[in-house]
Amino acid sequence: MKYLINGTAIIFLDIDRVSHFHTIAYDWETDSVLAIRPKEYHLLKYLFDQSGATDEELFNYLGRMSMESEEMQLMIKNLISKNLIFISND
Amino acid sequence: MIKPVFALIDSEIKNLSDGFPQKTFPKRVESVRGDLELVGYFANYDNKFTTNSLFDEILSNGFVNLVNSNSEFLLLWIDRKSKELTIAVDQANAFSCYFSIFDKKLVMSTSFAEVKNYWLEQKRKLHLDPDGLFTGLLWEWHTTERTLLDEIKILPAGCIAKFDLSTMKYTLKSLIDLEEFLSLENSPYGSMREFARDWLDIIKTVVKGRLDQINEAKFGSDLSSGFDCTLIAYLLSQLVPDLLLCFSRHSEIIPGETNVGLMRLFAQAHKLKLKSIDVTTIHLQNEDLEELWSIDDPYQVVVTDHEDYLSLLENESIKVQFAGEGGDEAYCSREIDLLGRFPIQNSFFMNVMYLKKRGLERLFTHNAIDYALGHERFNQRQLYPMIAPVSSAVPSVATSWRYWERDIWQMMPFFDTRVIGLARRMPMEINGNMQDKKFAVVKEMTEIFPREMFISKKGHEDTFVNFPRKQKRLILAVLENSILNRIGWIDKDKLISMLENENSEIYNPEFAIVFQNMIMLDWFMQKNEIGD
């Protein structure tokens, strides 16, 4: 099982550091613009750079980011519900 | 015919003002004090500045306060001692300022063609800018300094360009203070009735502010069967009874865009004088466009209904034309809190929408789509925030030069930041699309809009299907030597096959628009021998 990012829902730019890693994403299902906070940004960027991540890889990422497991699980669940992340069983 | 602004500037800075013709509105300004010189055009609509106070304002504060006011200007500030030149434009994109550095000279003009032709007259080749080209193909406008051609830049709205005339190095910087604007009161109204009342008041104030500046210039108002220019026309008629003349164009091809019966009903209800022109013939696209297209006009505005409309205004000696551009976007102003802060990201989403969601990618090759949606394309862009509606204000560069030539100025009250500021406070319970939001507000204005007007309005997309139907010879000639094919963005054989099949997607209005853009821009690049 792998967590993958929806590549048309968000774009990562060098200029994002100017906005302190706040950005926007687009939920194509509901046609709505979403505000993305820095913690969400870094998680999504990680998934983008890695071309997806397994549960184990996310656990390791969590350790490096000093993020609580529950916090990250909630964040992932939220981002899945907004069609930014999807799960592939391939 | 008014000539465009044109200046060839080097470190000697001679006779600069010669390149700035007199216009009816906005008036030309010119001032010299010692080594400092100011030249350009200026009008202010919120009583913050006058032409008399302009020089001292720039001397003391630069352009930041001017840019963040409701003004329209193109201004050049020259310091002959330090050999520095600053060019500034207003935040609503009222003036197009194209520039290019050529052999230690700055070439600048309000006309893209003037700068382009200067290069060609010097026997120098121009090259396409892929980002600018794809923007033109999709008609997806955003704030940028880039144009179709790599060598020619445009000064984005609310920006200054500072040139060191000794080295011809320059910097571009936006002076629009978006955060200041977004920090203004934005709590939503509790009552739609109260909002609609204040909405009407603010637009009336803004219209009056503009009317007060045009002095003796003869003015008119655009009119359609929608709610934006009709609201402007109504307010004008209240401010200056008996003086207002309204103008419209209608077509049997797109009766939903301007319903003549509704328009006449509105004009009659408010005692407006109306002149309307039937542009059906133009929309049929029967004429041989190869004979009519101009190598100086990438978007071939001269063969659109714009030309007949402008002739109508010119025949009546109209010098200022009020219009409802930006009205649609105004009703969605709350989105500026997110989209305004992240315009590059928003542009990416627009490209995804056009290409993926609406399927326009089927007109292009994989190479083209990889480029169009590639992160590198957007990563190269600079950030130019804008408060005035980007999708209305920025595309005006395609047509503003025709208005300039005829000494007609377009007046857009919905671009005023006070209107946009109030629109952010629309009651929260209004959901739905742009039209739903607009209906919710204007239906409170029962004294203005007859109930017959509350019908869905279509755009003018249907006119574009006549292009592939009627212009096959031209299209095939362009595709034969296609630059877009050469750079691997289209498959000309596939498009020829689509052209021969009336059931293919290029006969779908949304696809037909992009297809026509492709052929127009390819023709323009071929005729001007643009390199890739």
Side-chain angles (χ1 to χ4, degrees):
Chain A
M1 188 170 86
K2 218 172 178 183
Y3 296 89
L4 295 164
I5 191 172
N6 179 348
T8 58
I10 189 165
I11 184 168
F12 301 101
L13 302 169
D14 293 344
I15 207 170
D16 292 336
R17 60 176 59 86
V18 173
S19 60
H20 306 293
F21 304 106
H22 286 268
T23 188
I24 54 174
Y26 202 90
D27 182 345
W28 291 104
E29 296 293 321
T30 59
D31 268 327
S32 51
V33 180
L34 310 162
I36 298 296
R37 297 163 298 158
K39 277 187 178 172
E40 291 165 326
Y41 178 99
H42 291 301
L43 174 61
L44 289 164
K45 182 77 166 46
Y46 170 74
L47 289 176
F48 177 77
D49 289 340
Q50 301 296 119
S51 302
T54 60
D55 277 312
E56 187 185 342
E57 285 163 339
L58 275 177
F59 180 79
N60 292 335
Y61 169 81
L62 199 157
R64 288 197 300 277
M65 298 303 287
S66 306
M67 205 188 294
E68 295 292 331
S69 170
E70 196 180 323
E71 183 190 3
M72 192 172 79
Q73 279 178 43
L74 271 170
M75 194 186 299
I76 292 175
K77 191 176 169 189
N78 182 43
L79 293 172
I80 290 173
S81 74
K82 289 174 180 168
N83 303 294
L84 300 185
I85 294 177
F86 62 96
I87 299 172
S88 168
N89 290 313
D90 291 340
Chain B
M1 197 85 93
I2 304 286
K3 284 187 178 177
V5 166
F6 183 82
L8 202 56
I9 307 167
D10 58 21
S11 54
E12 299 299 308
I13 320 170
K14 286 182 187 151
N15 305 321
L16 194 58
S17 58
D18 290 353
F20 288 74
Q22 295 285 0
K23 284 173 86 302
T24 304
F25 187 85
K27 293 268 186 237
R28 197 179 88 165
V29 295
E30 195 179 346
S31 195
V32 180
R33 270 190 223 169
D35 290 318
L36 300 174
E37 183 178 348
L38 174 68
V39 68
Y41 304 90
F42 179 81
N44 170 259
Y45 305 125
D46 52 16
N47 298 318
K48 286 184 179 167
F49 304 102
T50 65
T51 49
N52 292 336
S53 69
L54 204 52
F55 195 100
D56 288 316
E57 171 61 29
I58 298 168
L59 191 60
S60 305
N61 301 310
F63 289 93
V64 64
N65 295 332
L66 289 172
V67 162
N68 289 290
S69 68
N70 285 291
S71 303
E72 291 178 331
F73 58 83
L74 163 63
L75 294 168
L76 273 68
W77 177 264
I78 302 104
D79 185 333
R80 290 177 188 280
K81 194 170 172 186
S82 62
K83 295 204 187 299
E84 281 180 357
L85 164 70
T86 304
I87 307 179
V89 290
D90 63 82
Q91 65 167 314
N93 216 51
F95 286 86
S96 304
C97 177
Y98 297 95
F99 66 93
S100 189
I101 305 296
F102 185 97
D103 284 352
K104 293 238 191 291
K105 288 190 198 65
L106 167 63
V107 185
M108 67 144 299
S109 178
T110 48
S111 159
F112 176 75
E114 291 285 314
V115 181
K116 185 251 310 173
N117 288 336
Y118 181 81
W119 273 79
L120 296 179
E121 282 156 16
Q122 309 306 314
K123 306 277 188 268
R124 299 279 281 272
K125 204 167 171 66
L126 289 158
H127 301 84
L128 64 88
D129 179 320
D131 193 13
L133 176 57
F134 220 102
T135 298
L137 289 171
L138 284 190
W139 203 258
E140 184 271 315
W141 294 90
H142 52 271
T143 50
T144 179
E145 79 282 11
R146 299 167 81 157
T147 70
L148 283 174
L149 302 177
D150 187 48
E151 291 82 0
I152 301 176
K153 306 301 177 196
I154 186 168
L155 193 52
C159 286
I160 55 170
K162 276 193 166 174
F163 296 86
D164 176 338
L165 295 176
S166 309
T167 62
M168 281 302 163
K169 283 192 173 22
Y170 70 91
T171 56
L172 291 179
K173 185 181 173 187
S174 173
L175 296 182
I176 293 177
D177 194 344
L178 178 65
E179 291 305 321
E180 166 66 24
F181 174 79
L182 293 178
S183 72
L184 297 173
E185 171 67 56
N186 70 341
S187 57
Y189 275 66
S191 152
M192 180 53 83
R193 184 158 291 179
E194 281 178 21
F195 175 80
R197 178 202 63 208
D198 289 353
W199 182 242
L200 202 58
D201 276 348
I202 194 70
I203 297 173
K204 189 172 185 178
T205 300
V206 162
V207 169
K208 183 172 187 306
R210 279 153 165 71
L211 210 51
D212 287 345
Q213 294 304 312
I214 64 176
N215 296 320
E216 306 300 315
K218 191 171 179 188
F219 63 93
S221 180
D222 192 31
L223 202 72
S224 73
S225 52
F227 295 101
D228 300 328
C229 49
T230 39
L231 182 57
I232 303 300
Y234 167 79
L235 291 169
L236 281 167
S237 73
Q238 298 292 297
L239 290 165
V240 284
D242 302 325
L243 281 183
L244 183 65
L245 195 52
C246 296
F247 300 89
S248 183
R249 56 202 130 156
H250 59 273
S251 164
E252 289 170 29
I253 307 296
I254 44 167
E257 163 72 1
T258 289
N259 182 314
V260 177
L262 285 180
M263 207 167 51
R264 288 186 180 139
L265 179 71
F266 184 87
Q268 203 172 12
H270 300 295
K271 299 185 177 48
L272 305 176
K273 295 186 207 94
L274 174 63
K275 284 186 183 284
S276 191
I277 185 166
D278 187 335
V279 291
T280 304
T281 309
I282 296 162
H283 289 168
L284 287 171
Q285 300 213 45
N286 282 331
E287 299 203 64
D288 183 356
L289 294 181
E290 175 88 69
E291 299 290 316
L292 299 175
W293 278 3
S294 161
I295 65 166
D296 285 339
D297 181 9
Y299 298 104
Q300 305 306 336
V301 173
V302 179
V303 302
T304 67
D305 56 22
H306 243 98
E307 277 305 289
D308 284 33
Y309 181 75
L310 283 175
S311 295
L312 192 62
L313 302 182
E314 206 174 24
N315 289 343
E316 294 292 332
S317 305
I318 298 296
K319 295 298 180 188
V320 177
Q321 177 71 346
F322 283 79
E325 299 300 319
D328 284 342
E329 293 86 341
Y331 291 92
C332 297
S333 290
R334 208 182 292 135
E335 294 176 356
I336 197 177
D337 287 67
L338 271 184
L339 298 180
R341 288 189 166 107
F342 301 101
I344 303 175
Q345 291 87 340
N346 186 36
S347 173
F348 170 72
F349 299 141
M350 293 303 293
N351 275 267
V352 171
M353 183 184 69
Y354 288 136
L355 292 170
K356 293 287 182 188
K357 204 162 183 191
R358 294 195 186 167
L360 290 165
E361 62 181 334
R362 295 193 285 278
L363 289 174
F364 298 93
T365 62
H366 290 305
N367 273 351
I369 301 307
D370 286 346
Y371 170 75
L373 299 180
H375 288 201
E376 201 44 43
R377 177 188 177 203
F378 298 90
N379 228 0
Q380 286 178 1
R381 291 195 186 162
Q382 301 303 314
L383 185 61
Y384 303 114
M386 199 164 165
I387 298 167
V390 173
S391 53
S392 297
V394 175
S396 67
V397 300
T399 54
S400 59
W401 61 282
R402 289 304 278 175
Y403 283 81
W404 180 285
E405 282 185 348
R406 295 173 191 237
D407 198 19
I408 299 172
W409 189 251
Q410 293 179 277
M411 198 67 97
M412 317 291 201
F414 284 106
F415 288 5
D416 195 292
T417 58
R418 292 166 291 180
V419 171
I420 298 164
L422 186 71
R424 286 172 74 217
R425 302 184 59 196
M426 199 175 296
M428 291 292 280
E429 74 264 19
I430 307 303
N431 290 316
N433 60 25
M434 196 189 284
Q435 190 163 251
D436 296 329
K437 289 173 184 169
K438 190 185 294 190
F439 273 26
V441 176
V442 299
K443 75 175 166 58
E444 296 290 334
M445 302 174 189
T446 50
E447 77 279 17
I448 302 175
F449 300 110
R451 58 181 167 76
E452 289 89 342
M453 285 180 71
F454 288 83
I455 53 174
S456 287
K457 192 175 163 212
K458 244 185 115 177
H460 59 288
E461 296 83 23
D462 286 350
T463 62
F464 290 89
V465 297
N466 283 323
F467 180 74
R469 275 194 193 124
K470 308 284 182 62
Q471 302 292 331
K472 284 187 170 56
R473 196 176 58 82
L474 167 63
I475 293 166
L476 289 171
V478 172
L479 288 175
E480 183 60 36
N481 299 301
S482 167
I483 291 178
L484 289 172
N485 188 67
R486 195 173 76 218
I487 64 175
W489 279 14
I490 64 169
D491 177 343
K492 73 176 184 188
D493 293 328
K494 177 182 170 184
L495 290 180
I496 290 171
S497 173
M498 289 172 86
L499 183 67
E500 287 161 1
N501 175 8
E502 278 257 352
N503 294 320
S504 78
E505 280 165 322
I506 61 168
Y507 294 95
N508 170 315
E510 273 199 43
F511 281 67
I513 297 173
V514 175
F515 183 67
Q516 184 164 347
N517 288 345
M518 274 181 178
I519 301 300
M520 276 193 313
L521 292 175
D522 211 323
W523 184 92
F524 174 83
M525 290 191 293
Q526 289 177 40
K527 296 297 180 189
N528 287 284
E529 297 179 1
I530 304 298
D532 50 77

